[in-house]
């Protein structure tokens, strides 16, 4: 029998800090890109607030004063967009909504009460995470375009004043939406114990995956069994239990 093609997710087999079998959820490159994006977002949120209202101008001290804040803000914004697009390329295929996601969204009571046994099996990401992913992509796209339109040093002179003013309003509005979305993202990561560990250490336990992402857990275990069956080097024996 022909040997199967190696899975793009062959790296999901890992061990935790205690040497126990675990599932690799994020690679080191994915984690570093995520945290660099997060740092850019924090810098942009603080510098943007400093430029948004005089009462918050004191925040410019974090960036070396008002002129430096105005200089750095757009460059960091472009950097964050590039970093986020690297994540989009990697994770877009895992974020398409399906029938189970629509059922998940139709049961908000069970979601909020953590009654996961009543919910449909969740893949690598649940419907809430998927919607957040696409919302952030749209928001960042709008903020990039509006940010270029109001970037006085290079681009704003190319546009009529009325368009620059509209771009300023849209930029502020979508910045607010992004801040709200990231607050929800952080809250959800804290709420689901183990999520932050996945993005810091890269792996999760089999029990965590089976409880919170049952469909993804099933896919990983099946890949693991196939790898073991065909004798792929480096893959641990199949473990259908945590």
């Amino acid at each position: 029998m022909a040997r199967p093609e190696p899975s793009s997710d062959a790296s999901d087999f890992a061990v935790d800090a205690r040497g126990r079998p675990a599932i690799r959820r994020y690679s080191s490159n994915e984690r570093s890109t995520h945290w660099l994006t997060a740092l850019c977002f924090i810098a942009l949120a603080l510098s943007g607030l400093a430029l948004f209202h005089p009462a918050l101008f004191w925040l410019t001290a974090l960036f070396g004063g008002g002129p430096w804040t105005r200089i750095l803000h757009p460059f960091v914004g472009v950097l964050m967009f590039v970093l986020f697009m690297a994540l989009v390329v990697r994770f877009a295929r895992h974020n398409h909504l399906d029938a189970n996601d629509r059922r998940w969204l139709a049961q908000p009571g069970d979601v909020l009460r953590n009654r996961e046994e009543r919910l449909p099996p969740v893949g690598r990401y649940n419907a809430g995470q998927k919607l957040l992913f696409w919302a952030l992509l749209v928001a960042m796209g709008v903020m990039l375009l509006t940010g270029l339109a109001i970037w006085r040093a290079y681009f704003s002179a190319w546009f009529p004043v009325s368009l620059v003013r509209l771009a300023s309003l849209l930029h502020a509005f979508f910045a607010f939406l992004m801040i709200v979305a990231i607050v929800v993202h952080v809250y959800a990561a804290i709420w689901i114990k183990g999520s932050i560990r996945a993005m810091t250490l890269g792996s999760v336990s089999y029990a965590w995956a089976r409880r919170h992402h049952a469909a993804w857990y099933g896919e990983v275990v099946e890949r693991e069994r196939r790898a073991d069956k065909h004798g792929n080097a480096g893959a641990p024996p199949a473990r259908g239990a945590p």
Side-chain angles (χ1 to χ4, degrees):
M1 181 181 294
R3 192 168 186 168
E5 291 292 326
S7 167
S8 60
D9 292 310
S11 60
D12 17 52
F13 313 130
V15 294
D16 64 14
R18 298 181 182 179
R20 297 173 300 188
I23 300 175
R24 190 182 308 281
R25 189 157 172 82
Y26 299 108
S27 69
S28 57
N29 284 339
E30 291 163 354
R31 300 197 308 275
S32 60
T33 302
H34 170 274
W35 291 115
L36 284 173
T37 305
L39 289 174
C40 286
F41 172 79
I42 293 171
L44 286 168
L46 293 175
S47 57
L49 288 170
L51 298 172
F52 179 74
H53 196 278
L56 298 172
F57 189 75
W58 59 271
L59 289 170
T60 60
L62 298 172
F63 305 94
W68 272 111
T69 302
R70 289 186 177 277
I71 292 170
L72 292 173
H73 183 85
F75 283 106
V76 176
V78 172
L79 175 60
M80 184 179 73
F81 181 82
V82 171
L83 290 169
F84 187 74
M85 287 307 299
L87 295 175
V88 169
V89 170
R90 177 65 182 87
F91 296 118
R93 66 191 179 95
H94 298 296
N95 282 278
H96 297 295
L97 291 168
D98 56 27
N100 278 352
D101 293 320
R102 289 187 284 274
R103 287 173 52 203
W104 191 93
L105 290 170
Q107 298 175 239
D110 293 326
V111 172
L112 294 175
R113 292 176 176 83
N114 279 332
R115 295 193 294 234
E116 299 188 53
E117 69 281 358
R118 300 187 181 183
L119 295 169
V122 172
R124 179 158 184 159
Y125 300 108
N126 63 43
Q129 292 171 311
K130 292 177 180 181
L131 291 177
L132 178 65
F133 176 87
W134 296 115
L136 287 176
L137 178 59
V138 171
M140 286 198 189
V142 173
M143 292 192 69
L144 176 71
L145 294 176
T146 56
L148 292 175
I150 62 178
W151 196 346
R152 291 186 178 181
Y154 299 104
F155 304 107
S156 65
W158 298 2
F159 304 99
V161 173
S162 58
L163 184 60
V164 172
R165 289 173 177 169
L166 176 61
S168 297
L169 292 174
L170 288 174
H171 197 78
F173 176 71
F174 277 90
F176 170 76
L177 292 182
M178 275 197 64
I179 291 173
V180 172
I182 294 300
V183 169
V184 172
H185 174 59
V186 172
Y187 176 77
I190 295 171
W191 183 31
I192 303 299
K193 185 178 179 181
S195 297
I196 295 178
R197 176 186 176 88
M199 190 51 79
T200 53
L201 300 181
S203 63
V204 296
S205 70
Y206 280 76
W208 186 94
R210 184 169 62 178
R211 177 180 179 184
H212 299 295
H213 299 270
W216 176 63
Y217 164 83
E219 293 170 5
V220 171
V221 169
E222 180 57 30
R223 281 197 296 270
E224 193 175 57
R225 286 173 177 161
R226 287 201 305 266
D228 184 54
K229 179 179 178 181
H230 293 283
N232 288 354
R239 295 179 182 271

